[in-house]
Amino acid sequence: MSNEDERPEHRLRRELPEEVQASASPEAPIPEVKSGPAVTGRQRLVQGLWPPRVSRAQLIVAVLLFGLGFGLAVQVASNSNSDSALRGARQEDLVRILDELDDRTQRLEDEKQGLQKQRDELENSSDQAEEARKQTAEKEKQLGILAGTVAAQGPGITMTIDDTKGTVEADMLLDAVQELRAAGAEAIQVNDVRVVANTYLTDSGKSVSVDGNKINAPYRFKVIGKPQDLEPALNIPGGVVQTLEKEQATVTVERSAKIVVDALRAAKQPDYARSSSR
């Protein structure tokens, strides 16, 4: 071994690994990185929301919420329609409606007092049997009027509905019957048919059938009751007369001191019901 090889620097070089050549020279060009246009936050939000990723549970909840919202909307609209007539009514119309409610309350109070009077007469009469027979006969007449088996007369109104367009339907006439009953009508006759508790009305082509009896326009209601209650009940805002006039029907209501209701119904014996009194 020569002295040159024994020098410290040469000995150190032999012990170290050979130098690793650089993978790229400093002068080698750096490849260009192509970059697209910058994505904004709004675009990233849209990409995250669309297309939607909806699970089955989320879809069921959405349908239930939609149904609930639709039901609430329908109820609010219904309440708004029912209140709109009173909200837009004139002051005199509102006063008339209040008077009608007071009259109904008074009729119920009068009926209550009449029943109490009958009870007192039965309790205080010296001949209770005779008094009971008298009240029974009177009650029979009243029930006969309600059942339509006997004729009746008294003050009331006559309402005539002229339907030249053929737009009046059975449900409109039924509303008139219900409104008259609520106003205290005691006997009602439509054309030649007596209206009773189980009366039904159906459409029959361009006309209406009452209890299976076909009647044609003009429809003539003869009603016995207090005229001061019956006529305002028909003319309230949004009531019977206004509804019929919207259907291009002509309605006239006349008060009378004497109305005769003479259309009769045959008394029907019940097939199964029997009196339980002893």
Side-chain angles (χ1 to χ4, degrees):
M1 180 178 296
S2 64
N3 294 333
E4 185 178 355
D5 293 335
E6 293 297 332
R7 292 179 183 178
E9 60 272 16
H10 290 286
R11 187 170 58 250
L12 180 61
R13 180 178 295 276
R14 286 197 304 269
E15 295 175 358
L16 292 175
E18 294 182 359
E19 295 180 0
V20 179
Q21 297 294 327
S23 60
S25 62
E27 292 79 5
I30 300 174
E32 295 181 359
V33 179
K34 295 182 179 181
S35 60
V39 180
T40 63
R42 179 178 298 179
Q43 291 174 339
R44 287 196 298 270
L45 178 61
V46 172
Q47 292 174 358
L49 295 177
W50 190 263
R53 301 174 181 84
V54 181
S55 65
R56 183 177 181 181
Q58 291 173 334
L59 181 61
I60 294 175
V61 171
V63 172
L64 292 177
L65 290 176
F66 174 78
L68 178 61
F70 181 76
L72 291 175
V74 171
Q75 184 176 3
V76 171
S78 177
N79 293 336
S80 300
N81 292 335
S82 61
D83 295 341
S84 59
L86 294 179
R87 190 179 299 111
R90 298 174 299 175
Q91 182 177 359
E92 52 267 28
D93 293 331
L94 294 175
V95 172
R96 185 171 58 185
I97 293 174
L98 291 176
D99 290 341
E100 181 185 352
L101 293 176
D102 292 339
D103 291 338
R104 291 183 183 181
T105 303
Q106 186 61 44
R107 287 197 303 272
L108 293 175
E109 184 64 27
D110 293 341
E111 183 178 356
K112 175 184 175 183
Q113 293 178 359
L115 293 175
Q116 291 176 344
K117 181 179 179 181
Q118 291 179 5
R119 182 195 62 188
D120 295 339
E121 289 176 350
L122 285 173
E123 291 177 349
N124 301 327
S125 176
S126 57
D127 189 352
Q128 294 185 356
E130 180 62 27
E131 184 64 27
R133 283 192 294 270
K134 185 187 301 183
Q135 292 190 11
T136 300
E138 184 64 26
K139 195 66 176 180
E140 183 179 0
K141 292 180 181 178
Q142 295 176 2
L143 293 176
I145 293 175
L146 296 177
T149 57
V150 298
Q153 67 178 20
I157 63 169
T158 300
M159 179 175 67
T160 304
I161 304 173
D162 193 4
D163 181 27
T164 58
K165 302 291 185 180
T167 56
V168 176
E169 298 179 350
D171 60 337
M172 302 176 188
L173 299 184
L174 180 60
D175 289 342
V177 172
Q178 299 287 23
E179 192 64 45
L180 290 168
R181 284 173 171 169
E186 297 176 352
I188 303 175
Q189 177 177 329
V190 183
N191 288 17
D192 295 328
V193 182
R194 185 74 167 266
V195 176
V196 294
N198 59 348
T199 291
Y200 63 92
L201 292 88
T202 57
D203 293 316
S204 179
K206 291 292 184 179
S207 59
V208 176
S209 292
V210 182
D211 292 336
N213 301 295
K214 186 176 180 179
I215 61 175
N216 297 314
Y219 305 111
R220 184 180 177 87
F221 284 70
K222 293 195 293 184
V223 187
I224 296 177
K226 188 177 180 181
Q228 295 83 350
D229 296 337
L230 298 175
E231 183 182 5
L234 298 173
N235 287 292
I236 61 174
V240 173
V241 173
Q242 194 173 85
T243 300
L244 291 171
E245 289 177 346
K246 287 182 180 179
E247 299 296 329
Q248 300 181 352
T250 303
V251 184
T252 57
V253 181
E254 299 178 357
R255 300 186 185 186
S256 178
K258 181 180 180 180
I259 297 292
V260 177
V261 174
D262 51 6
L264 302 180
R265 303 289 291 263
K268 183 179 179 181
Q269 182 69 26
D271 295 328
Y272 305 101
R274 296 292 182 268
S275 174
S276 60
S277 60
R278 296 181 180 179

